[in-house]
Amino acid sequence: MIREIDLISYLPLFVQEFREIQQIMSAENPEFQLIADESEKIKNNQFIETSDLVGIRRFEKMLNIVPAPDDTIESRRSRVLARWNEVVPYTYRALVQKLIQLCDGNFTITPNFNEYEMEIITHLELSGQVDELQYLIGYMIPMNIAVTSKNDIHCNSTGHFSLPAGMSFCTMVELSDAYRDNFNLEGHLYTTGAPIGTVQVSISDNFNEQVEISGTNRLASNASVAEIITIN
């Protein structure tokens, strides 16, 4: 919606005061709003970069382009723009201009015409752009040129990483004929959505043990299990 329609604002001030006129204008505002919105869509669909699904489908039909099911509106616009201004002859300068248009200037091209080789490194992220690059290489570069094409996507992340889900186990197994020990757990445990298991297994004929667990255990939506198995 480019603008909000308010019909009563076009009337003289003394007419705007009548309740009947106010109700009539309020009832007609939605209809005129639909007309204004549709006229804006018609204007936008005349240009590739501002067209919606209806408009880009018309451009694709003119260029005999069949979009893939997972193509986004941005990738479809990029493909149409790449094929719209196809001119001949296909020179190296024309190839560079096409790559600038497709890759938004983010690419590296290294020609070696003496060895009939060419290397193209791009950083395309939208769905369908790599297929369009393959189409571009296929119809613009001569068959006697060996082309090496690479598409690198840099994923850089900065900041802090917090693990909201994890798994922690503490297992002790003792096999003894004279087991005597003191086992203490102290500290604080903060988990979110994580199973915590503490298992202690002791097999002895002379079991004398003290187990103390102290501290703060703060859990959110998790399972906490503490098991002590004694065979004596």
Side-chain angles (χ1 to χ4, degrees):
M1 183 174 62
I2 186 174
R3 61 191 178 92
E4 185 176 356
I5 301 298
D6 186 16
L7 296 178
I8 198 172
S9 61
Y10 295 96
L11 299 178
L13 295 178
F14 74 93
V15 179
Q16 296 180 16
E17 298 178 358
F18 293 98
R19 184 177 301 176
E20 294 83 356
I21 300 298
Q22 295 175 0
Q23 295 299 323
I24 293 174
M25 296 295 101
S26 298
E28 293 182 352
N29 277 336
E31 302 301 325
F32 281 87
Q33 187 69 60
L34 290 175
I35 296 175
D37 294 343
E38 289 299 322
S39 63
E40 184 67 16
K41 290 181 180 179
I42 293 174
K43 185 186 71 174
N44 291 336
N45 285 335
Q46 297 181 32
F47 307 95
I48 298 174
E49 294 183 344
T50 58
S51 59
D52 56 12
L53 291 175
V54 176
I56 204 67
R57 190 181 298 117
R58 181 171 60 88
F59 285 109
E60 289 172 341
K61 185 177 181 180
M62 296 169 62
L63 297 172
N64 295 322
I65 297 176
V66 179
D70 57 345
D71 280 348
T72 62
I73 184 65
E74 289 80 9
S75 62
R76 294 171 68 174
R77 288 173 183 163
S78 176
R79 183 184 297 112
V80 171
L81 281 172
R83 300 193 190 183
W84 186 254
N85 295 318
E86 293 181 355
V87 294
V88 291
Y90 299 138
T91 62
Y92 175 75
R93 182 177 296 179
L95 174 64
V96 172
Q97 292 298 323
K98 283 290 185 180
L99 290 174
I100 292 175
Q101 189 178 50
L102 177 64
C103 307
D104 198 18
N106 189 15
F107 70 96
T108 302
I109 182 170
T110 306
N112 186 7
F113 296 125
N114 293 330
E115 300 295 333
Y116 296 95
E117 296 175 348
M118 181 181 296
E119 183 182 39
I120 301 175
I121 300 177
T122 57
H123 309 283
L124 303 173
E125 298 181 1
L126 295 178
S127 174
Q129 284 188 320
V130 175
D131 296 334
E132 186 60 26
L133 175 63
Q134 182 179 0
Y135 172 82
L136 186 68
I137 294 173
Y139 81 84
M140 288 196 69
I141 300 179
M143 296 297 293
N144 62 337
I145 301 294
V147 181
T148 301
S149 177
K150 299 179 182 179
N151 186 60
D152 296 334
I153 300 178
H154 301 293
C155 299
N156 300 322
S157 60
T158 59
H160 301 281
F161 176 74
S162 301
L163 181 63
M167 183 176 296
S168 176
F169 290 94
C170 178
T171 304
M172 298 181 60
V173 179
E174 294 285 344
L175 298 177
S176 173
D177 59 352
Y179 185 88
R180 183 183 295 273
D181 192 11
N182 294 327
F183 181 68
N184 298 324
L185 292 178
E186 296 182 358
H188 303 281
L189 176 63
Y190 302 93
T191 61
T192 301
I196 305 300
T198 300
V199 180
Q200 177 177 339
V201 180
S202 300
I203 301 177
S204 174
D205 59 354
N206 187 12
F207 188 87
N208 186 3
E209 182 186 29
Q210 295 179 357
V211 178
E212 297 180 1
I213 300 177
S214 61
T216 304
N217 185 6
R218 299 180 181 179
L219 306 175
S221 67
N222 78 309
S224 179
V225 180
E227 296 182 1
I228 299 179
I229 301 176
T230 303
I231 300 177
N232 188 11

